Amino acid sequence: TDREVEELEAEARSLAEASLNEAIALLGRWAQSFRQRARDDSVPAFRAVFLRSDALQIALSSLARNVPLQTALRDPPLFVSADRPEEVLLADTRSLIQRCTPRAASGLAAPLLAFAVDPDKRDESGAAKLLLEALKDGWGDVV
């Protein structure tokens, strides 16, 4: 419904001010919700609502404006661990991108995410976001 779309987009906007743990919680919840099915046919599936919304594009733009998150993402430790909070955030975001695009485009998730949230690639990030929007919109029409 329109209310659910608006709620998702508001949550996505909140990522601009969210702490690392808040961002992980939100994106993790979204990724988990994508894997679940609606229990009742009258309740629209999360996937359908998410694909109708602009939440993914808004989330990526919000993450790009969140300076503390950008600092954490730009300063990786010497030894990378999958349990590191920043890696969890990136993994959940990549998962969302993959679930919102056709399977053949899933390999583009990591580069799209890198362009979308890397402040050093601002010029390329606009093109990456347009590509993501085109893939997501095309896929949303199929699903």
Side-chain angles (χ1 to χ4, degrees):
T1 65
D2 289 338
R3 190 186 97 249
E4 290 170 316
V5 167
E6 290 171 9
E7 288 173 3
L8 278 174
E9 291 175 353
E11 286 180 326
R13 282 185 205 91
S14 75
L15 289 170
E17 303 293 325
S19 69
L20 179 59
N21 289 334
E22 292 167 339
I24 290 170
L26 175 59
L27 293 168
R29 182 171 48 83
W30 284 357
Q32 179 65 29
S33 295
F34 245 96
R35 293 186 283 269
Q36 295 175 342
R37 302 248 186 257
R39 290 185 176 82
D40 180 354
D41 290 340
S42 66
V43 178
F46 178 83
R47 178 187 193 109
V49 173
F50 195 88
L51 289 173
R52 271 198 322 265
S53 76
D54 289 329
L56 182 60
Q57 297 93 310
I58 293 169
L60 291 175
S61 293
S62 295
L63 288 173
R65 290 190 312 272
N66 188 319
V67 175
L69 284 180
Q70 290 301 313
T71 302
L73 294 174
R74 277 196 310 266
D75 191 22
L78 184 57
F79 300 101
V80 177
S81 165
D83 297 339
R84 188 173 153 256
E86 293 84 351
E87 293 302 319
V88 172
L89 175 71
L90 292 172
D92 284 342
T93 308
R94 274 191 303 271
S95 173
L96 282 170
I97 292 171
Q98 289 170 336
R99 292 175 185 280
C100 290
T101 57
R103 188 175 300 238
S106 66
L108 296 173
L112 282 171
L113 177 59
F115 280 121
V117 301
D118 188 341
D120 296 330
K121 298 180 179 171
R122 287 285 182 237
D123 294 338
E124 296 94 341
S125 71
K129 288 175 187 171
L130 287 174
L131 175 60
L132 175 62
E133 186 171 332
L135 287 169
K136 183 182 142 303
D137 287 348
W139 184 239
D141 292 341
V142 172
V143 174

